[in-house]
Amino acid sequence: MTDDDPTVPIICSACETTTRVSLSAVADAVERHNESVHDGEAVAEVDPAVADRLADLVADDMGLLDDEE
């Protein structure tokens, strides 16, 4: 991970932990944690507030939030 690589908070409510991983490693980190600690159950996840904000930014960038007139 470089200083330019943005990080994303990953939370696990079952473990009561939060960690930050590089954006490029998010999917692998979440999958690896859930497989090794929770028998594959989807417990760890990207912080929901961050995921919602990213979804909004992507939708806006794609023009999905433009008002139709």
Side-chain angles (χ1 to χ4, degrees):
M1 179 168 57
T2 67
D3 290 339
D4 296 336
D5 200 6
T7 60
V8 177
I10 304 296
I11 62 169
C12 181
S13 57
C15 296
E16 297 181 355
T17 58
T18 300
T19 190
R20 295 185 75 85
V21 298
S22 66
L23 183 59
S24 61
V26 168
D28 289 337
V30 170
E31 182 179 1
R32 186 174 49 252
H33 177 85
N34 286 332
E35 286 294 326
S36 65
V37 180
H38 303 294
D39 295 324
E41 186 178 343
V43 179
E45 62 185 349
V46 172
D47 183 328
V50 172
D52 287 347
R53 181 67 181 131
L54 287 172
D56 290 345
L57 290 170
V58 170
D60 186 47
D61 190 53
M62 294 176 66
L64 300 175
L65 300 178
D66 293 340
D67 291 333
E68 293 184 26
E69 296 182 31

